[in-house]
Amino acid sequence: MVIRYDAPLNLLVSTKGHPFDTPAFFGMFDDMRGMTWTHVEQPATTALMSPEGASDFDALLFYDVPGLQFKTPKPPLLIEPPETFKTGFRGLLDAGKPMIFLHHAVAGWPLWDEYAEAIGTRFFYQPGTYKGRDYPDSGYLFPVEFTMTPEGDHPVTKGLEGGFTLTDELYLMDMLEDDIEPLLRADYAFEQDNFYSAANALNARMWTRDGWSHGPGTNLIAWAKKAGNAPTVTILCGNDASTYGDANFRTLLRNAIDWVTSDAAADWARAA
């Protein structure tokens, strides 16, 4: 398959819910050839989440954390998505709309399991449940240097065959679904003693793990998944400007955009 890097694409980029370096982040997309992009913040994004609302976009990229209102030092307020969003999001998956979930987007809509199912995982800011099973709050660690190595041969990791090193944020969490295609793994020990409790952090106790119990987590940093008829890619790194400016990370992100919008990805997603 040939990746058409100069193919005209129109990308929706959704943000809000987590601070980030906006000039550096949006600079990534400005530097991508052959692509236009539109930035929308939550909750306005919700109004576009339907096949009709998103019809002008070739792919949707989520860098947001909808469904939470942070109340530090109190637990966050968790919010159910509107029924119109649920219906529209299901419609997008059924229609095969390509999606990319980047970094903290894996924490979105914590009260709606279908969102986590589309991604394959969820970052729990506090202990929660998924499909009736209880999970502890997830872990975080930054800044940390780690090397990512591709698993298998996939267009998303084209040009990254030797792996690459970043200084970014890592999460300690579980894969919740097993029907994913691994793309990149990190050479780091994803164990409780190397991470800090997300729930403690929201209680104004950053960098602590007392009272927290979490088993070993996944070392996957990127993967592809079929969600309904839609091809999706999740990339867990992407915390700050040093990553946004990294040439290998930019290659990874552009590869992901080009692949999810390709005919090959559409055929792959509909072949289930």
Side-chain angles (χ1 to χ4, degrees):
M1 183 186 72
V2 177
I3 301 292
R4 296 179 57 207
Y5 282 91
D6 292 319
L9 295 172
N10 190 12
L11 182 71
L12 173 70
V13 179
S14 177
T15 69
K16 200 65 180 285
H18 198 289
F20 63 97
D21 185 328
T22 54
F25 179 73
F26 294 124
M28 288 193 299
F29 305 106
D30 284 337
D31 290 342
M32 291 183 181
R33 293 179 296 139
M35 187 180 78
T36 60
W37 57 277
T38 300
H39 173 223
V40 181
E41 289 190 342
Q42 291 285 4
T45 305
T46 302
L48 298 174
M49 290 299 101
S50 69
E52 298 78 17
S55 61
D56 290 339
F57 303 104
D58 298 294
L60 313 177
L61 186 147
F62 298 97
Y63 192 63
D64 51 14
V65 191
L68 295 97
Q69 288 185 3
F70 295 102
K71 302 286 186 178
T72 305
K74 298 179 180 179
L77 176 64
L78 305 185
I79 304 166
E80 280 270 5
E83 288 300 321
T84 53
F85 175 88
K86 293 181 180 181
T87 300
F89 191 77
R90 293 183 189 116
L92 286 168
L93 297 182
D94 289 343
K97 181 65 71 175
M99 300 183 186
I100 296 170
F101 300 94
L102 184 59
H103 195 51
H104 47 248
V106 297
W109 297 120
L111 294 181
W112 191 41
D113 286 352
E114 288 181 62
Y115 195 73
E117 185 175 349
I119 300 173
T121 190
R122 171 182 289 154
F123 183 92
F124 290 94
Y125 274 105
Q126 60 183 14
T129 61
Y130 178 73
K131 294 186 176 180
R133 178 180 170 184
D134 293 333
Y135 288 87
D137 56 298
S138 301
Y140 67 93
L141 179 67
F142 68 88
V144 57
E145 183 177 280
F146 55 96
T147 298
M148 292 174 285
T149 304
E151 181 162 324
D153 182 19
H154 195 280
V156 173
T157 56
K158 182 179 177 62
L160 305 172
E161 290 80 359
F164 65 101
T165 299
L166 283 180
T167 299
D168 200 81
E169 182 176 24
L170 290 176
Y171 296 147
L172 181 67
M173 60 186 191
D174 301 298
M175 293 301 301
L176 303 180
E177 300 289 330
D178 57 10
D179 58 338
I180 57 97
E181 183 166 343
L183 298 176
L184 286 166
R185 294 187 184 273
D187 66 340
Y188 195 78
F190 287 81
E191 300 172 352
Q192 177 178 311
D193 288 349
N194 292 331
F195 289 82
Y196 301 100
S197 161
N200 284 7
L202 293 183
N203 285 316
R205 294 193 295 117
M206 291 283 292
W207 316 115
T208 66
R209 61 176 70 92
D210 54 288
W212 179 52
S213 178
H214 197 298
T218 181
N219 67 349
L220 274 174
I221 297 297
W223 61 88
K225 189 180 187 300
K226 304 173 185 179
N229 293 315
T232 74
V233 168
T234 299
I235 301 171
L236 292 183
C237 47
N239 185 60
D240 55 31
S242 65
T243 294
Y244 308 152
D246 184 87
N248 288 307
F249 178 76
R250 289 187 169 203
T251 295
L252 172 65
L253 183 58
R254 183 60 198 256
N255 283 354
I257 294 168
D258 285 322
W259 179 72
V260 295
T261 55
S262 69
D263 291 341
D267 293 343
W268 172 79
R270 292 181 182 275

